[in-house]
Amino acid sequence: QRKNPFSNDDRLASKPMHTHRGDPTYGRPLEGSQTEQRGKDAHSHVGKEVEELCLIIRSTGEVGEDGHVSVTFGQLFETYVTISNKVVGILLRARKHGLVHFEGEMLWQGKDDDVIITLL
């Protein structure tokens, strides 16, 4: 519609043109927009959940010979699921940030209950 010479919609003219790969604003919401604020709020919320998960691992786990606290996935799942149903997603985020370590790509309740999660 922006290129349509017959369009009289002024709202379209005020919007920026689409960005292209390589542009620093590519794939990002407009600065100062509600979408940007929602993204920041979500990022903050997930960060708090990761911190809470690490605290639960520290409180329910056992200190190993290497000095790191470890807990099995089954034990962590039973403890953390009463707080949040997103335990696996939060674990993946914590691993991405180098806060925990566990073997495998994904953890499944029941099947991976004996997998050891180590707090780094």
Side-chain angles (χ1 to χ4, degrees):
Q1 287 293 329
R2 192 180 334 272
K3 295 179 182 181
N4 184 348
F6 302 106
S7 175
N8 292 329
D9 195 345
D10 292 334
R11 293 176 299 149
L12 295 174
S14 67
K15 289 187 177 180
M17 294 294 284
H18 291 286
T19 56
H20 300 285
R21 287 183 193 227
D23 186 335
T25 61
Y26 180 76
R28 301 205 176 265
L30 291 175
E31 205 169 311
S33 68
Q34 288 182 344
T35 302
E36 181 189 38
Q37 187 58 47
R38 282 191 295 269
K40 287 179 181 179
D41 293 346
H43 185 74
S44 173
H45 179 74
V46 169
K48 289 175 187 172
E49 284 204 37
V50 168
E51 285 178 29
E52 189 173 10
L53 177 76
C54 291
L55 289 173
I56 290 172
I57 292 172
R58 187 180 313 277
S59 67
T60 60
E62 297 177 8
V63 180
E65 294 175 9
D66 58 358
H68 292 303
V69 177
S70 297
V71 66
T72 63
F73 175 65
Q75 183 182 0
L76 179 64
F77 188 90
E78 289 302 317
T79 304
Y80 193 76
V81 79
T82 60
I83 298 166
S84 173
N85 60 353
K86 300 180 287 279
V87 64
V88 175
I90 299 300
L91 268 172
L92 292 173
R93 178 64 64 101
R95 179 170 67 177
K96 179 180 176 183
H97 290 286
L99 300 173
V100 299
H101 172 74
F102 57 89
E103 295 295 324
E105 291 288 319
M106 181 65 76
L107 296 172
W108 303 98
Q109 182 185 10
K111 179 183 152 214
D112 294 319
D113 283 352
D114 296 329
V115 171
I116 297 187
I117 299 166
T118 306
L119 185 63
L120 303 175

